[in-house]
Amino acid sequence: MRAAAAVPAPRARVAVRVNLRAVIRRRSVPLTVAMFVCVAYFLLPLLWLVIASTKSDSGLFHSFGFSVRLDDFRLWQNVRDVFTYGNGQYARWLLNTIFYAVASAGGAAALATVGGYGFAKFDFVGKRAAFGVVVVSIMVPGIALAIPIYLLFAKIGIVNTPLSIIVPSLVSPFGIYLMRVYAADAVDDSLLEAARIDGAGELRIFAQIALRLLAPGIVTVVLFTLVATWNNYFLPFIMLNNPNLFPVTVGLAQWNAQASGGGGAQAVFSLVITGSLVSVVPLAVAFLFLQRYWQSGLSAGSVKT
Amino acid sequence: MATTLAPTVPPRARRHGSRRGLKGYLFVAPFLVFFAAAFIAPLGYAAYLSLFRSRLVGGTVFAGLQNYRDVVHDAAFRDGVLRMARFLITQVPAMLVLAVVFALAIDSGRLWAPRFVRLSIFLPYAVPSVVAALMWGYLYGPTFGPITQTAHHLGVSAPNLLSDRWMLPSIGNIVTWEFVGYNMIIFYAALRTIPPERYEAAAVDGAGAVRTAVHIKLPALRPALALTAIFSIIGTFQLFTEPSVMSTVAPSAIDRSYTPSLYAYNLAFTDQRLNYAAALSFAMGAVIVLVTAVFVLAASRRRS
C-alpha cells in the first residue's frame, strides 16, 4: 500500500483502496450464517448417507442417524458387500449405467452439435417449421412419451435391449435448442465467409473451425444428457426386465423393494444405502470439476430466449 | 480490395447460397432422422392405438374417441391431476422463491465462501432421483429415521412423514431438495449477464442493495423465471420416480393412481390396457400443454 502511494495517479489509488475496503465491508456475517443454515439442509442428507454407509444393518436401526460408531465402522465391508452381492450384479449395473450414459451423451451431443450448427448457420426451406416442431417437443413430457416409445419398440422387437435405452436418449430437443443458440453466438459468420472464399468445404469448415468454437457448448450438452441418462429411471424401468441390463437406478430400486418387502434371507438395507452412496460419487465428482460449464450453458439457454 | 472483388462476389455468393442450403439439410438430417424415429413415430403410433380398444370377445375394435371420453370421466385420473395441481401451486413457487433468494444472496457479493455455498446447493442435482427418494425415505422413517430420532431427543413428537396426510409434502420436500440448486444456477447465470453499467447507474442514484435487487436484478430474472416455471410445470405433472420409490416404503399412502404417470404406468404394464394407457398419456400431455399455455399467456399479459 505504501509503495502504491508513490504512484502518481492519486485518483486510481483512492479507488483501489475504497474497493478493497468495500469488498471486506460488503461481506455480511448474518447473511452468511443464514445461508450456511440453508446449506445444511442440502448437505445433511448426504452426510447421513455417508455415515449410514459405515454401519451394519443392526447399527442402522439401533444408533442415532448422525453418530459415527468406530466400533462398528463397516464402510469397506459394506462396499465389498455391494459389489459381491448377487454374483456382483451391482458392478454390472454400474457398468451398464456408464455405458448407457456415455453412449447417449456422446451421441446426443454429436447430433445436437451438428444439428444446432446447421440450424444456426444455414438457410433452407422448412427450417423454421422443423425447428418450431423441435422447440414445441421440449414441452412434451418424457413420461407421456416413454409409454408410446415402449409400445412402438415392443412392436419392432427392441424392448429389453440396450438400444431401447440409448435410442430415445439420443434425441435431446433441449440440447439442439441450446446448441443453436450457442452456435449463433460463438461462431462468427465473417469467419465462415472467409473460409468459404478460401475454398474450404462446409464439412471442413465445421470440423476445423466451428467445432473448436463450439466446444464449451458441447461440454454443456454432454453434461445435461449424461446426468439425464445417469439419473433416468422410468425409461429403463419400463423397457428392461432382464436384471443383467439394468442401470444402477433400477437395480437399487429393486434392492430396496426387496429390503422393504423383507423377502430376502439376507437383510439388504445396508446394501441399498451403500449402493446409493457409490452411485452418487462419480457424478458428484464430475460436478465439482465441471461446474463452470453448467453456468455458461445455462446462461446461454435461459437468457437468450 | 472491396472494389476489385465487388463485381464477382454477388453471383458467387448466390451460387454458394443455394449449395449451402442443401448442406444445411446435411447438417440437420441426422438429428431429424432420430427425432422422427424416437419422437414423431411413437407419438403417431400411440395416437393410432388410442383410437382402439380390445375386448375379451371380438378382439381389438375401432372405438373412435371413446377412450378419451372415458379418461375425462375417470375419477382416478382426475384425482391424480388435482393432486399434481395442488403440488404445483405449493411446491413449485416455494422452490423457485428459494432458488431466487439463494441466487440473489450469492450474487450480492456479501457472502463468505460463496463458491462453497453455490456448489453445496447445486450438489443434490447430481443425485439420481431414485437415490434421493430412497435416502429421504429412510430419513422420514417413523421409527428409526433421524428426523424422528432428533424430535424424540428434543422431547417432541414428529408427525409420521410417511403417512397418508404427510406424503405429498414429504414428496414435495424431496423434489425441492433435488431441484432448488439447478434452478438457482439458472438464475445466477442470468444475474451474471447484467451489464455493470446498470449497477453503476443505480449506485449513482443512491440505490441500496435491496432496491438494486428489486429494481434491477428481479426484472432481469424474468426470462429465466419463465423458463424454470415452465420446466417445473412439466416436471410436476410427470412426477413418477419419487412416488414410485416411496410406494415400496409406504404402500398404504400411495395408491396406483397417485400421480397421472403412475396411473398410466399401471394401466399399461399391470393391467395391459395399452389402448387406454395411450389415450391417458395424451390426456396428460394435453393437461401439461394447457397449463403451460395458460401460464405463458398470464406471464406475457402481465409483462405488457
Side-chain angles (χ1 to χ4, degrees):
Chain A
M1 286 300 258
R2 281 290 141 92
V7 176
R11 276 171 65 203
R13 196 189 66 217
V14 168
V16 166
R17 212 187 299 150
V18 166
N19 278 349
L20 264 177
R21 218 187 308 146
V23 165
I24 292 171
R25 202 190 44 216
R26 277 171 62 83
R27 300 260 197 248
S28 158
V29 172
L31 185 66
T32 305
V33 170
M35 283 303 283
F36 272 55
V37 170
C38 296
V39 163
Y41 165 71
F42 294 97
L43 291 188
L44 279 179
L46 293 171
L47 178 69
W48 175 84
L49 190 65
V50 173
I51 291 174
S53 299
T54 70
K55 294 178 180 172
S56 64
D57 262 33
S58 78
L60 268 179
F61 295 111
H62 296 104
S63 65
F64 178 58
F66 287 98
S67 67
V68 184
R69 292 189 13 189
L70 291 176
D71 58 318
D72 186 33
F73 190 85
R74 290 170 44 95
L75 178 62
W76 311 124
Q77 177 68 40
N78 282 342
V79 170
R80 211 168 58 212
D81 287 352
V82 162
F83 281 99
T84 53
Y85 181 78
N87 292 323
Q89 56 186 171
Y90 185 87
R92 174 154 219 144
W93 296 339
L94 210 54
L95 288 177
N96 288 341
T97 292
I98 293 169
F99 172 62
Y100 298 149
V102 169
S104 306
L111 291 176
T113 306
V114 176
Y117 176 79
F119 275 120
K121 294 299 170 188
F122 294 89
D123 277 319
F124 48 88
V125 179
K127 172 171 135 167
R128 283 175 65 90
F131 194 70
V133 171
V134 172
V135 168
V136 169
S137 70
I138 296 177
M139 304 288 161
V140 174
I143 283 179
L145 188 67
I147 290 177
I149 292 178
Y150 172 85
L151 298 176
L152 185 70
F153 281 13
K155 192 86 187 161
I156 58 177
I158 60 167
V159 290
N160 210 15
T161 67
L163 273 183
S164 64
I165 310 301
I166 294 169
V167 170
S169 310
L170 289 178
V171 182
S172 168
F174 188 60
I176 202 162
Y177 166 77
L178 212 63
M179 283 313 294
R180 187 202 173 155
V181 173
Y182 198 86
D185 239 27
V187 183
D188 200 342
D189 280 330
S190 58
L191 203 63
L192 298 182
E193 276 311 317
R196 279 174 193 137
I197 288 168
D198 285 347
E202 293 298 338
L203 284 176
R204 220 184 112 201
I205 294 175
F206 173 73
Q208 296 192 342
I209 300 174
L211 211 51
R212 199 150 11 113
L213 297 169
L214 293 174
I218 296 172
V219 175
T220 307
V221 174
V222 167
L223 280 174
F224 267 111
T225 34
L226 197 68
V227 170
T229 328
W230 191 283
N231 293 351
N232 200 351
Y233 176 67
F234 190 68
L235 192 68
F237 180 64
I238 64 172
M239 289 291 181
L240 306 174
N241 54 41
N242 175 1
N244 286 330
L245 292 176
F246 282 177
V248 81
T249 48
V250 177
L252 279 174
Q254 202 192 46
W255 271 1
N256 182 56
Q258 260 176 48
S260 304
Q266 191 181 344
V268 288
F269 287 106
S270 59
L271 283 182
V272 175
I273 286 170
T274 313
S276 298
L277 178 69
V278 173
S279 78
V280 168
V281 170
L283 270 195
V285 170
F287 263 48
L288 298 182
F289 286 103
L290 297 171
Q291 221 242 352
R292 65 196 180 94
Y293 289 104
W294 288 100
Q295 203 177 304
S296 62
L298 286 167
S299 63
S302 68
V303 179
K304 286 156 195 156
T305 43
Chain B
M1 201 170 151
T3 47
T4 52
L5 273 179
T8 55
V9 163
R12 260 175 79 194
R14 213 179 305 137
R15 194 153 41 88
H16 259 286
S18 61
R19 268 221 324 260
R20 245 186 289 148
L22 289 179
K23 293 259 171 64
Y25 289 118
L26 195 73
F27 278 96
V28 298
F31 175 83
L32 291 181
V33 166
F34 278 93
F35 184 71
F39 221 102
I40 306 293
L43 286 181
Y45 182 57
Y48 168 80
L49 280 184
S50 73
L51 302 176
F52 291 83
R53 63 177 29 187
S54 56
R55 291 199 187 130
L56 284 177
V57 184
T60 305
V61 292
F62 183 75
L65 295 177
Q66 190 55 45
N67 284 327
Y68 291 94
R69 253 174 248 135
D70 291 353
V71 170
V72 171
H73 294 111
D74 189 331
F77 176 66
R78 190 198 56 213
D79 288 351
V81 169
L82 289 178
R83 189 175 286 117
M84 291 307 97
R86 241 160 58 213
F87 194 88
L88 184 70
I89 56 174
T90 51
Q91 186 270 336
V92 172
M95 174 178 71
L96 294 184
V97 165
L98 280 177
V100 168
V101 168
F102 293 158
L104 286 174
I106 293 169
D107 185 65
S108 72
R110 302 177 73 102
L111 282 183
W112 297 91
R115 265 181 66 86
F116 167 74
V117 171
R118 199 176 68 203
L119 276 176
S120 306
I121 298 176
F122 189 45
L123 195 57
Y125 183 60
V127 177
S129 48
V130 168
V131 172
L134 287 174
M135 195 172 65
W136 279 100
Y138 284 100
L139 291 171
Y140 290 149
T143 38
F144 301 111
I147 296 174
T148 312
Q149 285 175 336
T150 309
H152 197 74
H153 277 291
L154 298 172
V156 293
S157 66
N160 179 1
L161 296 168
L162 295 177
S163 64
D164 224 6
R165 243 186 95 196
W166 283 88
M167 189 46 85
L168 199 62
S170 292
I171 292 175
N173 174 59
I174 301 175
V175 176
T176 305
W177 182 83
E178 288 176 83
F179 289 106
V180 163
Y182 170 79
N183 291 302
M184 177 197 74
I185 292 284
I186 294 181
F187 295 137
Y188 179 69
L191 288 174
R192 302 307 291 176
T193 61
I194 298 175
E197 303 89 65
R198 308 206 35 200
Y199 292 129
E200 282 156 24
V204 167
D205 290 346
V210 173
R211 274 189 59 198
T212 310
V214 171
H215 292 291
I216 294 180
K217 294 186 179 185
L218 282 184
L221 285 181
R222 208 172 250 160
L225 203 54
L227 185 85
T228 52
I230 289 170
F231 279 153
S232 303
I233 293 170
I234 298 170
T236 297
F237 281 103
Q238 47 179 330
L239 201 60
F240 177 84
T241 307
E242 292 84 358
S244 161
V245 171
M246 296 305 261
S247 71
T248 61
V249 188
S252 63
I254 292 180
D255 58 30
R256 65 199 296 276
S257 56
Y258 193 78
T259 72
S261 42
L262 209 54
Y263 190 35
Y265 165 80
N266 280 316
L267 285 171
F269 296 97
T270 313
D271 306 353
Q272 300 289 328
R273 293 175 64 191
L274 297 181
N275 305 88
Y276 191 59
L280 195 110
S281 293
F282 274 103
M284 192 169 96
V287 169
I288 293 175
V289 170
L290 197 72
V291 174
T292 312
V294 167
F295 169 80
V296 169
L297 277 179
S300 61
R301 178 165 295 178
R302 180 174 290 184
R303 202 174 306 171
S304 60

